């Protein structure tokens, strides 16, 4: 009976902790307003070509804009290198190259825009809001 009482008390305490309201933000912290209003797509374009290239974009009613284009690119990949760094054998591979941008208004109303290229060298973003690498 004693074990049953402990389990029951633990379950009640657990339910109480889960049911309590979230704490209010303090007045010292800055208030960030968010919206739960659903956004609608006001324009959308999607093209896929037989060669694997594509072009797509969309814009929403809340100011979000996305553009993306991609194509397949053949690159030479070394299979082996000799001890002195000479390429002994190489083969071709197809990689997807993507370029694009996305933009959205931040909570203060500023337009944030990020442009990018993603290819065999990785994801390379550019934007005024991004920190610059050390010189």
């Amino acid at each position: 009976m004693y074990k049953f009482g402990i389990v029951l008390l633990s379950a009640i305490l657990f339910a109480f902790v889960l049911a309590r309201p979230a704490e209010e933000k303090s007045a010292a912290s800055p208030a960030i307003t968010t919206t739960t209003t659903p956004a609608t797509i006001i324009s959308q374009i999607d093209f896929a070509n037989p060669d694997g290239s594509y072009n797509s974009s969309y814009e929403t009613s809340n100011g979000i804009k996305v553009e993306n284009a991609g194509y397949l690119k053949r690159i030479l990949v070394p299979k082996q290198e000799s001890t002195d760094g000479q390429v002994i054998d190489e083969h071709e591979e197809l990689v997807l190259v993507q370029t694009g941008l996305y933009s959205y208004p931040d909570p203060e109303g500023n337009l944030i825009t990020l442009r990018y290229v993603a290819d065999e060298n990785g994801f390379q973003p550019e934007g005024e809001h991004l920190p610059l690498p050390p010189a």
Side-chain angles (χ1 to χ4, degrees):
M1 183 69 177
Y2 176 71
K3 290 180 183 178
F4 177 74
I6 290 177
V7 170
L8 181 61
L9 184 60
S10 298
I12 292 171
L13 182 61
F14 184 68
F16 176 73
V17 169
L18 289 179
R20 74 180 173 91
E23 296 179 20
E24 296 293 324
K25 292 183 179 179
S26 68
S29 66
I32 297 176
T33 58
T34 60
T35 180
T36 57
T37 305
T40 57
I41 295 176
I42 56 177
S43 69
Q44 183 174 2
I45 298 171
D46 286 310
F47 291 113
N49 300 310
D51 65 356
S53 63
Y54 67 92
N55 191 341
S56 66
S57 65
Y58 66 88
E59 189 172 351
T60 63
S61 60
N62 62 354
I64 296 173
K65 184 177 182 180
V66 176
E67 297 176 8
N68 191 14
Y71 62 93
L72 294 173
K73 175 181 172 184
R74 290 192 184 280
I75 61 168
L76 290 176
V77 178
K79 280 188 177 177
Q80 284 184 313
E81 291 184 7
S82 64
T83 55
D84 60 352
Q86 297 293 320
V87 174
I88 297 172
D89 188 22
E90 57 190 13
H91 68 282
E92 283 189 350
E93 280 189 17
L94 284 175
V95 295
L96 176 63
V97 176
Q98 294 182 349
T99 60
L101 69 85
Y102 60 86
S103 62
Y104 58 92
D106 70 5
E108 289 80 36
N110 303 313
L111 186 64
I112 304 295
T113 301
L114 184 124
R115 297 180 187 282
Y116 64 88
V117 173
D119 58 12
E120 69 272 15
N121 298 313
F123 181 72
Q124 302 142 53
E126 293 179 4
E128 292 180 15
H129 64 290
L130 296 176
L132 295 173

